[in-house]
């Protein structure tokens, strides 16, 4: 080869290398330009279960409205502790309004009558102290009731949070299933073009793809609805619109003793504490009714001016308890004590029943999850993978592969539902006991 030919060959090689470098740089430049032009996106706020409960206790409007009842009862304590107001008295008699000419200093001093004084009601039977005691006991009952509202809200938030976790897991699995089956569709399309697959089998696979797409759409809708319901409980203003739940469906084996849980419920359940305090409040009302049966003493002192002489008068008055000494209200409040005692005993029975039912539900859910984890879930996945591998290589029929795929999907979905049911039953047990700490 002469010098000219070698120079032309060298130039051709250099041109090819330059074009290759430019081609490799072009996507990088385009990508860099698109990244530079893309607006920054704020990451979605992630909320854990504990954070969701804390936000709900701070921002839930129903709970905030219930808490005002405590303040209202405390205001009633102020009213109950008030003493009666004194009453001022003044009168002027025999003034000559119709004979203005007789309106002289001497007439007013000697003939007119002037009285000036005040009266005060002396409460007997320690009525004020009994009113205050009854008001304070009612505040205690209201406080325990609001605490029970917090317990119910906490359980609702936890249940809704688990529902959101399940919706998120279903959405992730639906996306993965769709991507995996799309690969199967692409392989089947290639086999059809190569003449190794009939058109009827190809259409069956494409129709199966529609089911995966519908599952994905349903999972997206369920996720949006679950997050919206959870946001309603924790407060729409407490989290941004694009928030996400932080966590996964998980299983943690717990060994709990039923008798210990019963004793713990009797100590910690706020509704049971409210029922016990209700008995004390009823007793306070009975004591107040007996105090109201005592007749109060009215005391009046007046300054009198008559006939040019100034004098003072002192009066006492009291009802004579012949007919009414509050016997009806005393009897009613005595029966109310019995009613409160029966309701307290019934509430204890309800609490123990809740613990037993929740405990059995928890153990049933635990056994179901363990069944799946013992091998059934892995067997369904292996069966699907084997059928997919065999079908892609022509060693299995289309019906066998689709049947294995459906079995795996139903088994995997049932496992996620079992996990969610286990977590929900654990939350129900916590609600039944009255505390989130079960150890």
């Amino acid at each position: 080869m002469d010098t000219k030919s070698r120079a032309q060959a060298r130039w051709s090689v250099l041109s090819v290398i330059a074009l290759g470098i430019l081609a490799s740089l072009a996507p990088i430049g385009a990508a860099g330009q698109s990244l530079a032009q893309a607006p920054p996106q704020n990451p979605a706020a992630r909320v854990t279960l504990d954070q969701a409960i804390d936000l709900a206790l701070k921002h839930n409007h129903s709970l905030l409205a219930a808490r005002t009842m405590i303040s209202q009862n405390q205001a009633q304590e102020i009213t109950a502790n008030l003493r009666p107001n004194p009453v001022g008295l003044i009168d002027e008699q025999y003034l000559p309004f119709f004979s203005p000419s007789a309106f002289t200093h001497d007439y007013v001093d000697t003939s007119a009558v002037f009285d000036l004084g005040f009266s005060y009601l002396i409460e007997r039977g320690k009525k004020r102290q009994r009113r205050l005691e009854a008001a304070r006991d009612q505040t205690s009952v209201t406080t325990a009731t609001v605490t029970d509202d917090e317990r119910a809200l906490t359980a609702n938030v936890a249940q809704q949070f688990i529902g959101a976790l399940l919706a998120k897991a279903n959405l992730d699995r639906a996306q993965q299933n769709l991507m995996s089956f799309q690969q199967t569709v692409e392989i089947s399309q290639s086999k059809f073009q190569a003449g190794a697959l009939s058109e009827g089998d190809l259409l069956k696979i494409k129709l199966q793809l529609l089911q995966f797409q519908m599952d994905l759409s349903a999972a997206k809708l369920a996720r949006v609805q679950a997050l919206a319901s959870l946001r309603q409980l924790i407060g729409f203003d407490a989290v941004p619109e694009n928030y996400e739940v932080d966590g996964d469906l998980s299983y943690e084996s717990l060994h709990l003793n039923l008798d210990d849980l019963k004793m713990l419920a009797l100590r910690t359940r706020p509704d049971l504490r409210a029922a016990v305090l209700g008995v004390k409040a009823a007793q306070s009302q009975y004591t107040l009714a007996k105090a109201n049966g005592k007749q109060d003493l009215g005391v009046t002192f007046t300054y009198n001016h008559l006939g040019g002489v100034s004098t003072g008068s002192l009066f006492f008055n009291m009802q004579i308890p012949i007919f009414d000494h509050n016997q009806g209200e005393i009897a009613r409040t005595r029966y109310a004590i019995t009613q409160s005692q029966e309701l307290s005993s019934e509430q204890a029975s309800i609490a123990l029943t809740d613990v037993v039912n929740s405990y059995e539900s928890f153990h049933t859910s635990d056994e179901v999850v363990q069944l799946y984890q013992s091998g059934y879930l892995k067997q369904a996945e292996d069966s699907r993978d084997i059928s997919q591998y065999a079908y892609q290589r022509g060693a299995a029929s289309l019906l066998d592969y689709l049947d294995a795929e459906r079995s795996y999907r139903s088994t995997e979905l049932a496992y996620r539902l079992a996990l969610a049911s286990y977590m929900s039953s654990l939350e129900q047990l916590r609600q039944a006991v009255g505390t989130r700490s079960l150890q």
Side-chain angles (χ1 to χ4, degrees), residues 70 72-74 77 134-144:
I70 300 176
Q72 294 179 43
N73 285 134
Q74 291 173 343
E77 292 179 19
R136 286 176 174 173
D137 288 341
Q138 186 58 46
T139 301
S140 299
V141 173
T142 302
T143 302

Side-chain angles (χ1 to χ4, degrees), residues 96-103:
F97 289 109
F98 302 102
S99 300
S101 60
F103 208 111

Side-chain angles (χ1 to χ4, degrees), residues 15-32:
S15 299
V16 171
I17 294 174
L19 291 174
I21 293 174
L22 291 175
S24 62
L25 290 177
I28 298 176

Side-chain angles (χ1 to χ4, degrees), residues 31-337:
Q33 184 179 2
S34 63
L35 288 175
Q37 294 177 353
Q41 296 181 355
N42 295 327
R46 304 186 66 84
V47 179
T48 64
L49 175 57
D50 291 337
Q51 291 173 342
I53 293 174
D54 184 64
L55 289 172
L57 294 178
K58 292 179 179 177
H59 299 281
N60 184 268
H61 295 292
S62 296
L63 181 60
L64 294 178
R67 284 174 178 164
T68 62
M69 294 300 300
I70 300 176
S71 300
Q72 294 179 43
N73 285 134
Q74 291 173 343
Q76 289 178 346
E77 292 179 19
I78 299 174
T79 302
N81 197 36
L82 295 177
R83 291 177 172 84
N85 289 322
V87 179
L89 304 172
I90 184 171
D91 70 87
E92 299 179 0
Q93 302 179 44
Y94 310 116
L95 295 179
F97 289 109
F98 302 102
S99 300
S101 60
F103 208 111
T104 63
H105 179 272
D106 291 337
Y107 178 86
V108 172
D109 184 50
T110 58
S111 299
V113 178
F114 297 91
D115 297 313
L116 176 64
F118 71 93
S119 65
Y120 186 75
L121 183 68
I122 300 177
E123 293 184 312
R124 299 176 62 244
K126 297 184 178 180
K127 290 185 177 65
R128 182 174 62 86
Q129 292 86 343
R130 300 296 180 240
R131 287 197 305 270
L132 179 59
E133 180 182 4
R136 286 176 174 173
D137 288 341
Q138 186 58 46
T139 301
S140 299
V141 173
T142 302
T143 302
T145 302
V146 172
T147 303
D148 190 59
D149 292 340
E150 294 176 356
R151 177 180 70 99
L153 177 61
T154 298
N156 290 338
V157 170
Q159 295 290 350
Q160 193 59 53
F161 191 91
I162 294 171
L165 289 180
L166 177 61
K168 184 181 74 168
N170 288 339
L171 178 58
D172 293 339
R173 177 57 61 179
Q175 292 173 340
Q176 295 174 9
N177 289 340
L178 179 59
M179 292 177 59
S180 175
F181 200 78
Q182 281 177 339
Q183 295 177 357
T184 301
V185 172
E186 293 174 359
I187 294 174
S188 301
Q189 184 70 35
S190 299
K191 292 175 66 176
F192 170 74
Q193 293 176 353
L197 184 69
S198 66
E199 184 177 2
D201 289 343
L202 179 62
L203 292 177
K204 291 179 181 179
I205 293 178
K206 289 185 175 181
L207 289 176
Q208 187 69 21
L209 179 63
L210 174 62
Q211 184 62 49
F212 283 96
Q213 293 171 338
M214 292 175 61
D215 291 344
L216 180 60
S217 299
K220 288 180 178 179
L221 176 60
R223 172 183 167 274
V224 172
Q225 292 175 340
L227 290 176
S229 299
L230 178 60
R231 190 183 181 194
Q232 178 184 356
L233 290 176
I234 63 181
F236 269 84
D237 298 332
V239 292
E241 186 174 357
N242 63 335
Y243 83 103
E244 296 286 349
V245 290
D246 187 7
D248 298 298
L249 296 175
S250 60
Y251 170 77
E252 180 183 359
S253 180
L254 296 177
H255 301 284
L256 305 173
N257 184 277
L258 179 58
D259 293 334
D260 292 340
L261 293 175
K262 289 180 179 179
M263 295 300 298
L264 185 60
L266 293 178
R267 292 196 308 268
T268 60
R269 285 261 302 224
D271 57 340
L272 183 56
R273 186 165 64 252
V276 174
L277 291 172
V279 176
K280 187 173 183 295
Q283 293 171 344
S284 299
Q285 292 293 333
Y286 174 70
T287 305
L288 176 60
K290 293 178 65 177
N292 288 333
K294 302 292 184 180
Q295 303 303 318
D296 297 332
L297 176 63
V299 180
T300 304
F301 174 80
T302 60
Y303 162 79
N304 313 108
H305 183 82
L306 174 61
V309 180
S310 296
T311 60
S313 302
L314 188 62
F315 302 92
F316 298 93
N317 66 83
M318 177 186 294
Q319 290 186 5
I320 301 176
I322 298 177
F323 305 109
D324 180 11
H325 43 87
N326 207 34
Q327 63 270 32
E329 188 66 13
I330 292 174
R332 186 197 68 80
T333 52
R334 184 171 60 248
Y335 295 137
I337 294 176

